[in-house]
Amino acid sequence: MDDFLRAAEQLFSEKGYGQTAMEDIARLAEYGTGTIYRYFESKEALYGELLERKMAAYLEHLVAQYEAETTPRGKLRALLHGKVDFFARNREFMRIFVKEFVPECSTMAAALTPEARELRGRCLALLRDTIEAGIRSGDFRAMDPDLAVAAISGLGNELLLHCIRDLDGEGLGEAEGFMMAFIESGLASGDRP
Amino acid sequence: MDDFLRAAEQLFSEKGYGQTAMEDIARLAEYGTGTIYRYFESKEALYGELLERKMAAYLEHLVAQYEAETTPRGKLRALLHGKVDFFARNREFMRIFVKEFVPECSTMAAALTPEARELRGRCLALLRDTIEAGIRSGDFRAMDPDLAVAAISGLGNELLLHCIRDLDGEGLGEAEGFMMAFIESGLASGDRP
Amino acid sequence: MDDFLRAAEQLFSEKGYGQTAMEDIARLAEYGTGTIYRYFESKEALYGELLERKMAAYLEHLVAQYEAETTPRGKLRALLHGKVDFFARNREFMRIFVKEFVPECSTMAAALTPEARELRGRCLALLRDTIEAGIRSGDFRAMDPDLAVAAISGLGNELLLHCIRDLDGEGLGEAEGFMMAFIESGLASGDRP
Amino acid sequence: MDDFLRAAEQLFSEKGYGQTAMEDIARLAEYGTGTIYRYFESKEALYGELLERKMAAYLEHLVAQYEAETTPRGKLRALLHGKVDFFARNREFMRIFVKEFVPECSTMAAALTPEARELRGRCLALLRDTIEAGIRSGDFRAMDPDLAVAAISGLGNELLLHCIRDLDGEGLGEAEGFMMAFIESGLASGDRP
DNA sequence: TATGAATGAGAGTTCATTCAT
DNA sequence: GATGAATGAACTCTCATTCAT
């Protein structure tokens, strides 16, 4: 069953959902076509399961880093580092992730499963809570937290894609530093020492 | 021919490339199915043509605003405002744009046409040139301009999508202000008056 | 479209619904497989349409004969003769008819369409009304009309099948005479002159 | 092995041959899927075996009643009562029986096994012999015995189905009385005391 | 030039049957 | 004997593309 999820991740990432045939997945996993259907009800269900698992792993990864920190700045850094770290080790999923995290891009007829939506919401909520706490504490300037979440998400995704796609994964460290600095400046309150 | 492009834009935006049948496009454009093939070699060619035209219009729009400005900050603001302005009036295309601007998301078997890639590159080059000029002039701090371009693109796209998708186009003015402030902080040199 | 219905009638009759592939129907009709789907939404819809058309023709045929008569005995004879007559000229449909007229035999996942059920009901209602009228007039003895309808239907179907299947259509005249006599005796009131 | 036959009878009756999967049968019988194939060569063989057993039981039941009678009228009544009696206690099989007794309805690719055909023939022969004897004895009027067999079979089957299907098994007694009277009238010689 | 009926390759899915354990 | 995971042929259905009119 994990064989199928692995094969599916690779192919969906390389060719996209619509261009990947169930037969391709089965062949890559070295099984017969019909065997997939013993484990997954349909192609969509397979894709949904893949997304849920990865999203769950991502959330878990973020939470682990996040809870070790206490200040808004610390939590923000933890979330940003967690993102870079997770996708550095899940590059194939990155390409799928940006499609599905941005609903407009989804290629599935049916959108994310409710479970996956829930996980996506919880990832974003970590960031939002952090920003709101930072605003209250005066670390960040007053702003609409939803806009900030959108800005930071989009910025981070695109930077990661840039490194993974154009730089073949090189320069992730530099990009992380840049991202941190850029975002912290963007969020910073005008008060300067 | 423009009828087909208009119909295609609407349907691709609403349902996605894979879920849109040539017959649907023809019907919406009020022509026979076969007629499309008098003007476009294939479904992909139609999609490619649509992208090229829109990209060209986008580039033209950006250039017009851009050339009216002389300072890096002015040009940056022109590009950001131009983006918001263009997509506020091309909301349907926005959903297609984010798919194709981020090549990973493309649903087509074949990626962007070379012409479209070229146009995309020229849009990004405007921003890149602006950033480089700003770094030289000391308006912006020293940084890798490619990272800055990626960051700003992703940030802007996601903010626009947030407004168009979740807010139904409301709040674009506020989002533009937020975007400007966020990006200018992120780019700003440490020197403060 | 009629080509498909003709081909479908023949093949469903010969091999049964489940054993008939859409490709078989298309080939017999001398069309490509996909063409069927321009006219029928699905295999079930094709079958449903076939049944409806034939049932409608059968009902029309029965009604024509029925309305020319005024007495219960006359109407009964008209219905019985109409049945023999119709199926003598629709032998292929006879085999499908008995399947679907007897719901237990239906091979479709989904049963008859509501339209077909309605038509089936109206065919049976003609017979039922006739029997009730005959009972009231004293031509027939008192009995449960539903039982009589079931008895006469089953008797007639099986006799027709016997002739069509085992006798290759021979002996229909003799069978009709036998059926009339048998049923009239069965229904007759005990009063004899 | 009987477990499989019981499970198969239930499922074939409820859902039909084509809609019943071997796995369903195995699960209901509380065995593994592969185990069925230790006892039956194929799905068709299982169905065939089921039919043969039931047909044999039916024949035995008929013969027992039949041989206790000496007159044609007595034998006829025994056969009719035997039929009602058997199917009242084998309602699930009734639905399969009508399919297979009327070969046109068979859902199997291959028709009845030769053994089952033989048994079917012997059931019908009992009735046929009875009718011929009755004609010779003058109890029944002169007629084609094959037509009479067909008429009586079809009539009886449909009446039984009507009770089992529409009346949920109620009214079998009334139906049996009606059937006897109807058939005896139909067969009766014109001579009246 | 415009059409839309026709096509057929290709996709997802089912399930009777097999066989290593 | 019993199992149930694995199989792959077969089937239904879709749709980009063609071409006779």
Side-chain angles (χ1 to χ4, degrees):
Chain A
M1 182 163 173
D2 283 347
D3 294 330
F4 293 129
L5 287 169
R6 255 192 301 278
E9 183 180 356
Q10 182 183 328
L11 293 173
F12 286 152
S13 161
E14 280 171 12
K15 314 199 293 179
Y17 180 81
Q19 277 66 50
T20 301
M22 291 300 261
E23 204 183 332
D24 299 339
I25 298 172
R27 197 181 301 116
L28 181 61
E30 299 188 294
Y31 282 92
T33 315
T35 310
I36 303 183
Y37 290 87
R38 293 192 64 74
Y39 299 98
F40 303 96
E41 282 216 326
S42 64
K43 189 183 179 184
E44 282 206 3
L46 167 59
Y47 193 51
E49 179 76 22
L50 173 62
L51 288 178
E52 279 181 45
R53 292 207 176 195
K54 285 287 179 175
M55 292 285 206
Y58 180 42
L59 176 61
E60 194 178 0
H61 184 78
L62 288 185
V63 166
Q65 314 247 343
Y66 175 85
E67 293 193 330
E69 300 290 331
T70 51
T71 66
R73 296 184 100 91
K75 284 177 189 258
L76 177 68
R77 285 180 187 175
L79 291 175
L80 295 177
H81 177 71
K83 179 169 198 160
V84 173
D85 193 44
F86 183 80
F87 286 112
R89 284 182 285 114
N90 287 276
R91 292 183 194 176
E92 303 214 311
F93 179 58
M94 180 79 220
R95 304 163 84 170
I96 299 174
F97 175 82
V98 291
K99 271 213 188 72
E100 300 306 334
F101 218 72
V102 178
E104 278 71 18
C105 292
S106 177
T107 47
M108 274 209 301
L112 260 53
T113 59
E115 289 75 16
R117 296 188 86 79
E118 156 84 18
L119 290 165
R120 174 184 183 275
R122 280 162 69 189
C123 289
L124 292 175
L126 293 179
L127 182 55
R128 199 192 135 105
D129 292 347
T130 301
I131 290 165
E132 288 179 331
I135 293 169
R136 279 195 305 273
S137 70
D139 286 306
F140 306 149
R141 61 186 166 83
M143 68 187 77
D144 180 333
D146 288 326
L147 295 182
V149 166
I152 294 171
S153 285
L155 185 158
N157 289 343
E158 192 64 36
L159 269 176
L160 278 168
L161 279 175
H162 170 73
C163 293
I164 290 173
R165 177 210 315 143
D166 301 333
L167 276 47
D168 199 33
E170 293 297 310
L172 275 169
E174 194 198 343
E176 185 180 335
F178 175 81
M179 192 198 315
M180 295 268 191
F182 197 103
I183 290 171
E184 291 196 332
S185 304
L187 296 178
S189 71
D191 316 336
R192 292 264 171 145
Chain B
M1 180 161 175
D2 282 348
D3 295 329
F4 292 130
L5 288 168
R6 254 191 303 278
E9 182 181 357
Q10 182 182 328
L11 293 173
F12 286 150
S13 161
E14 280 171 12
K15 315 197 294 178
Y17 180 82
Q19 277 68 51
T20 300
M22 292 298 263
E23 213 177 323
D24 298 340
I25 298 172
R27 195 179 306 116
L28 183 61
E30 300 187 295
Y31 281 91
T33 317
T35 312
I36 301 184
Y37 288 85
R38 300 225 150 261
Y39 299 99
F40 304 95
E41 279 218 325
S42 66
K43 189 182 180 184
E44 284 206 1
L46 167 59
Y47 192 53
E49 181 74 22
L50 172 63
L51 288 177
E52 280 180 43
R53 295 211 174 192
K54 283 286 178 176
M55 292 286 206
Y58 180 41
L59 177 60
E60 194 177 0
H61 184 79
L62 288 184
V63 166
Q65 314 247 344
Y66 176 86
E67 294 193 331
E69 299 290 331
T70 51
T71 65
R73 297 183 98 93
K75 284 178 189 264
L76 176 68
R77 285 181 186 175
L79 292 176
L80 295 177
H81 177 71
K83 179 170 197 158
V84 173
D85 192 45
F86 183 79
F87 286 112
R89 282 182 286 115
N90 287 274
R91 292 183 195 177
E92 302 214 311
F93 179 57
M94 181 77 219
R95 305 163 82 171
I96 300 175
F97 175 81
V98 291
K99 273 213 188 77
E100 301 306 334
F101 215 73
V102 178
E104 277 72 19
C105 292
S106 176
T107 47
M108 278 207 301
L112 259 52
T113 60
E115 289 75 16
R117 296 188 86 78
E118 158 83 17
L119 290 164
R120 173 183 182 276
R122 281 162 67 190
C123 290
L124 293 175
L126 293 178
L127 182 56
R128 200 192 134 106
D129 292 348
T130 301
I131 289 165
E132 288 178 333
I135 294 169
R136 279 195 306 274
S137 70
D139 285 309
F140 305 149
R141 62 185 166 82
M143 67 185 80
D144 180 334
D146 288 327
L147 294 183
V149 166
I152 294 170
S153 284
L155 185 158
N157 288 343
E158 192 64 36
L159 270 176
L160 279 168
L161 279 176
H162 171 72
C163 292
I164 290 173
R165 177 210 316 144
D166 300 333
L167 276 46
D168 199 34
E170 294 297 309
L172 276 169
E174 193 198 343
E176 185 179 336
F178 175 82
M179 192 197 316
M180 294 271 193
F182 196 103
I183 291 171
E184 292 195 332
S185 304
L187 296 178
S189 71
D191 316 334
R192 291 261 171 149
Chain C
M1 181 160 174
D2 283 348
D3 295 329
F4 293 128
L5 287 168
R6 256 193 301 278
E9 182 179 357
Q10 182 181 329
L11 292 173
F12 286 150
S13 160
E14 280 172 12
K15 314 199 294 178
Y17 180 80
Q19 278 65 51
T20 301
M22 291 301 261
E23 204 184 329
D24 299 338
I25 298 172
R27 195 180 305 117
L28 182 60
E30 299 187 294
Y31 282 92
T33 315
T35 310
I36 302 183
Y37 290 88
R38 293 192 64 76
Y39 300 98
F40 304 96
E41 281 216 325
S42 63
K43 189 182 179 185
E44 283 206 3
L46 167 58
Y47 193 50
E49 179 76 23
L50 173 63
L51 288 178
E52 279 181 44
R53 292 208 178 194
K54 285 287 180 174
M55 292 284 206
Y58 180 41
L59 177 61
E60 194 179 3
H61 184 78
L62 288 184
V63 166
Q65 313 248 343
Y66 176 87
E67 294 193 330
E69 298 290 330
T70 51
T71 64
R73 297 185 99 92
K75 285 178 188 257
L76 177 68
R77 285 181 187 176
L79 292 176
L80 295 176
H81 177 71
K83 179 171 199 160
V84 173
D85 192 44
F86 183 80
F87 286 112
R89 285 182 285 115
N90 288 275
R91 294 183 193 179
E92 303 214 311
F93 180 58
M94 181 78 220
R95 304 163 83 169
I96 299 174
F97 175 82
V98 291
K99 271 213 189 71
E100 301 306 334
F101 217 72
V102 178
E104 277 72 19
C105 292
S106 177
T107 49
M108 275 209 300
L112 260 53
T113 59
E115 289 75 15
R117 296 188 86 78
E118 157 83 20
L119 290 164
R120 172 184 185 277
R122 281 162 68 190
C123 289
L124 293 175
L126 292 178
L127 182 55
R128 201 191 133 105
D129 292 347
T130 302
I131 289 164
E132 289 179 332
I135 294 169
R136 280 195 304 273
S137 72
D139 285 307
F140 305 148
R141 60 187 167 84
M143 67 186 78
D144 179 335
D146 288 325
L147 294 182
V149 167
I152 294 171
S153 285
L155 184 159
N157 289 342
E158 193 63 36
L159 269 176
L160 279 168
L161 279 176
H162 170 73
C163 293
I164 290 173
R165 176 209 316 144
D166 301 333
L167 277 45
D168 198 34
E170 292 298 309
L172 276 168
E174 192 197 345
E176 184 179 336
F178 174 81
M179 192 198 316
M180 295 270 193
F182 197 103
I183 290 170
E184 292 196 330
S185 305
L187 296 178
S189 71
D191 314 338
R192 293 264 172 143
Chain D
M1 181 162 174
D2 283 349
D3 294 328
F4 293 129
L5 288 168
R6 254 192 303 278
E9 182 180 357
Q10 182 182 328
L11 292 173
F12 286 151
S13 162
E14 280 171 12
K15 314 198 295 178
Y17 181 81
Q19 277 67 50
T20 301
M22 291 299 262
E23 213 176 323
D24 299 340
I25 298 172
R27 195 178 306 115
L28 183 60
E30 300 186 296
Y31 282 91
T33 317
T35 311
I36 301 183
Y37 289 86
R38 299 226 151 260
Y39 298 100
F40 305 96
E41 280 218 326
S42 64
K43 189 181 180 185
E44 283 206 2
L46 166 59
Y47 192 53
E49 180 75 22
L50 172 63
L51 288 178
E52 278 180 45
R53 293 210 176 192
K54 284 287 178 175
M55 291 285 206
Y58 181 41
L59 177 60
E60 193 178 0
H61 184 80
L62 288 184
V63 165
Q65 314 246 344
Y66 176 86
E67 293 193 331
E69 299 290 332
T70 50
T71 66
R73 295 185 101 92
K75 285 178 189 261
L76 176 69
R77 285 179 186 179
L79 291 176
L80 295 177
H81 176 72
K83 178 170 199 159
V84 172
D85 192 45
F86 183 80
F87 286 112
R89 284 183 285 114
N90 288 273
R91 292 183 196 178
E92 304 213 311
F93 180 59
M94 181 77 219
R95 304 163 81 171
I96 300 174
F97 175 81
V98 290
K99 271 213 189 73
E100 301 306 335
F101 216 73
V102 178
E104 279 71 19
C105 292
S106 177
T107 48
M108 278 208 301
L112 259 53
T113 58
E115 289 75 16
R117 296 189 85 79
E118 157 82 19
L119 289 164
R120 173 183 184 276
R122 281 161 67 191
C123 289
L124 293 175
L126 292 179
L127 182 56
R128 198 192 138 103
D129 292 347
T130 301
I131 289 164
E132 287 179 332
I135 294 169
R136 279 196 306 275
S137 72
D139 285 306
F140 305 149
R141 59 186 168 84
M143 67 185 80
D144 180 334
D146 288 325
L147 294 182
V149 165
I152 294 170
S153 284
L155 184 159
N157 289 343
E158 193 64 36
L159 270 176
L160 278 168
L161 279 176
H162 170 72
C163 293
I164 290 174
R165 176 209 317 143
D166 301 332
L167 277 46
D168 198 34
E170 294 297 309
L172 275 169
E174 193 198 344
E176 184 179 337
F178 174 82
M179 192 198 316
M180 295 272 192
F182 197 103
I183 290 170
E184 291 195 332
S185 304
L187 296 178
S189 72
D191 314 336
R192 295 261 173 148

